[in-house]
């Protein structure tokens, strides 16, 4: 079965095609890809990668309004110096490119966030408000460990906020050394704990990089070797966490790693209603007016903002919800799922 050859020729033919103007050339490459899969169909009938490629081509042709009839491009030369697995050596540290090469389609992605009181948006688009005081894992899989430490938002309050985040990028072959990132209130560094800003001295070290988006307030960590991007922010007296992770990475855990707030949300005993009860530190009508300035759609981000401002009396929580919504806008694979209404 020579499906990997078809995949590599398609990747080589489309690497330089970007943006809305790629239309005709992209359709030509897809037809050539389809022709290649038909030629190898007999020997590839039992190969999952082959069937995945065939379905992927059909979806891409529909999405790009490509006709099945038309010119096909001659295959471009394969990239030079492939290693025995059929990839360029550094392609192993470029998850999206490797996935496309192997499967003939881009990978899927999932989004999770933790912000404010904390409110958790899970990989499955469930939304919980938690009272999780102490340290809890947001993620615990083969590639990443993320722990959030929470403390009371105010003296005598049941509500808590994230005051510390610890992120461990686990050692991975020739790509990166193990790296630890830690943020605390008023200390959101643009470097890992060892002072470095990338994945180390291995050949793929540049596939893990920290970018400072706003000094001391917002950093972005790009882990291209696992197709993952993380944003860490501070707004007022709380930290927030957002992630866009490849589906394969998000699911890479065992039954023993069963407590992950990004996967299962808050344990039932730790969930809270987002309807503020009793006397708050800010009147609910005032909180709604403040939150509406930053969040015109009255979805769960808006509800969370109102809850946090009423409970804490800190108007900076409007920025926490707004930042989480902006991260979701960037990270969500399906923009129709941006707003959640409960």
């Amino acid at each position: 079965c020579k499906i990997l050859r078809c995949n590599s020729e398609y990747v080589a033919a489309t690497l330089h095609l970007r943006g809305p103007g790629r239309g005709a050339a992209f359709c030509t490459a897809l037809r050539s890809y389809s022709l290649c899969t038909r030629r190898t169909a007999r020997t590839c009938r039992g190969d999952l990668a082959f069937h995945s490629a065939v379905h992927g081509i059909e979806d891409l042709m529909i999405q790009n309004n490509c006709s099945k009839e038309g010119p096909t491009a001659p295959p471009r030369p394969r990239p030079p110096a492939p290693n025995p697995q059929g990839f360029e050596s550094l392609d192993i540290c470029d998850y999206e490119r490797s996935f496309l090469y192997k499967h003939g389609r881009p990978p899927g992605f999932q989004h999770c966030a933790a912000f404010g009181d904390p409110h958790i948006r899970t990989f499955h688009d469930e939304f919980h408000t938690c009272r999780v005081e102490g340290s809890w894992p947001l993620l615990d899989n083969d590639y990443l460990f993320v722990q959030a430490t929470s403390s009371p938002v105010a003296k005598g309050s049941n509500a808590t906020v994230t005051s510390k985040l610890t992120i461990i990028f686990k050692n991975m072959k020739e790509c990166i050394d193990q790296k630890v990132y830690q943020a605390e209130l008023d200390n959101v560094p643009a470097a890992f704990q060892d002072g470095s800003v990338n994945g180390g001295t291995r050949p793929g070290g540049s596939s893990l990089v920290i970018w400072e988006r706003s000094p001391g307030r917002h950093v972005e960590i790009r882990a291209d070797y696992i197709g993952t991007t993380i944003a860490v922010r501070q707004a007022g007296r709380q930290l927030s966490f957002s992630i866009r992770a490849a589906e394969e990475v998000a699911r890479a855990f065992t039954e023993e790693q069963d407590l992950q707030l990004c996967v299962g949300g808050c344990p039932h005993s730790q969930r809270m209603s987002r309807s503020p009860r009793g006397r708050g530190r800010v009147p609910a009508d005032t909180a709604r007016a403040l939150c509406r300035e930053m969040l015109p759609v009255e979805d769960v981000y808006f509800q969370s903002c109102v809850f946090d401002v009423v409970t804490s009396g800190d108007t900076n929580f409007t920025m926490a919800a707004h930042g989480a919504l902006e991260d979701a806008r960037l990270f969500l694979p399906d923009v129709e799922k941006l707003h959640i209404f409960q």
Side-chain angles (χ1 to χ4, degrees):
C1 177
K2 296 181 179 178
I3 189 61
L4 289 182
R5 179 175 60 80
C6 297
N7 291 351
S8 64
E9 287 173 356
Y10 167 69
V11 171
T14 55
L15 273 178
H16 67 292
L17 301 177
R18 293 286 186 272
R22 67 182 186 173
F26 190 66
C27 289
T28 298
L30 281 172
R31 283 190 292 268
S32 179
Y33 190 13
S34 180
L35 177 62
C36 186
T37 60
R38 289 199 299 273
R39 285 174 176 163
T40 191
R42 181 177 294 178
T43 55
C44 288
R45 279 180 301 181
D47 192 292
L48 286 175
F50 168 78
H51 293 288
S52 177
V54 170
H55 290 301
I57 293 167
E58 290 176 2
D59 290 343
L60 285 169
M61 291 188 81
I62 292 169
Q63 290 168 21
N64 291 274
N65 296 320
C66 298
S67 63
K68 293 186 178 180
E69 302 299 324
T72 58
R76 293 165 60 94
R78 291 185 68 182
N83 68 13
Q85 283 73 39
F87 302 108
E88 290 179 272
S89 57
L90 291 187
D91 277 356
I92 291 173
C93 302
D94 186 333
Y95 179 86
E96 291 189 48
R97 189 173 174 182
S98 297
F99 191 96
L100 182 62
Y101 187 106
K102 286 189 284 188
H103 301 284
R105 60 178 175 82
F109 294 94
Q110 295 181 319
H111 169 59
C112 169
F115 68 96
D117 181 11
H119 312 285
I120 306 292
R121 178 177 185 145
T122 74
F123 283 137
H124 311 294
D125 300 312
E126 295 175 349
F127 206 95
H128 300 153
T129 295
C130 315
R131 64 160 60 86
V132 286
E133 190 170 349
S135 295
W136 294 73
L138 295 172
L139 283 170
D140 182 10
N141 61 40
D142 294 347
Y143 303 96
L144 283 166
F145 177 79
V146 181
Q147 180 173 276
T149 300
S150 297
S151 52
V153 64
K155 190 174 182 180
S157 172
N158 278 335
T160 57
V161 290
T162 300
S163 54
K164 181 178 179 180
L165 281 166
T166 302
I167 306 170
I168 300 175
F169 297 87
K170 297 180 181 178
N171 173 45
M172 186 174 172
K173 298 178 184 175
E174 51 272 278
C175 296
I176 67 145
D177 303 318
Q178 176 169 296
K179 292 288 178 176
V180 178
Y181 178 80
Q182 198 162 82
E184 298 183 70
L185 287 177
D186 301 323
N187 182 20
V188 181
F192 295 108
Q193 271 199 323
D194 61 6
S196 65
V197 294
N198 59 34
T201 57
R202 301 189 186 188
S206 62
S207 64
L208 176 63
V209 181
I210 293 184
W211 300 94
E212 188 171 55
R213 296 302 184 194
S214 176
R217 293 284 161 177
H218 179 196
V219 299
E220 185 175 287
I221 307 173
R222 290 186 60 91
D224 291 340
Y225 68 100
I226 51 173
T228 294
T229 304
I230 291 173
V232 175
R233 299 174 183 257
Q234 177 172 339
R237 305 305 300 161
Q238 66 90 42
L239 297 173
S240 63
F241 166 87
S242 295
I243 186 170
R244 173 188 186 257
E247 289 177 350
E248 190 177 44
V249 171
R251 292 197 299 256
F253 58 89
T254 64
E255 290 182 7
E256 286 74 30
Q257 296 163 301
D258 58 343
L259 181 56
Q260 301 180 66
L261 301 192
C262 274
V263 176
C266 314
H268 283 278
S269 62
Q270 300 293 320
R271 296 179 191 177
M272 299 175 67
S273 165
R274 276 188 301 281
S275 299
R277 294 174 183 169
R279 291 185 60 187
R281 294 168 184 265
V282 170
D285 288 344
T286 303
R288 288 192 188 93
L290 289 167
C291 292
R292 199 171 286 116
E293 291 177 13
M294 302 295 293
L295 303 151
V297 178
E298 296 194 13
D299 59 0
V300 290
Y301 293 97
F302 174 85
Q303 294 171 12
S304 302
C305 173
V306 172
F307 178 90
D308 291 346
V309 173
V310 168
T311 305
S312 69
D314 185 351
T315 59
N316 285 307
F317 276 94
T318 60
M319 294 300 297
H322 179 260
L325 182 63
E326 288 305 297
D327 287 338
R329 202 184 303 278
L330 288 172
F331 289 171
L332 272 172
D334 183 356
V335 292
E336 291 185 2
K337 293 182 178 178
L338 177 62
H339 298 292
I340 299 175
F341 300 92
Q342 290 180 343

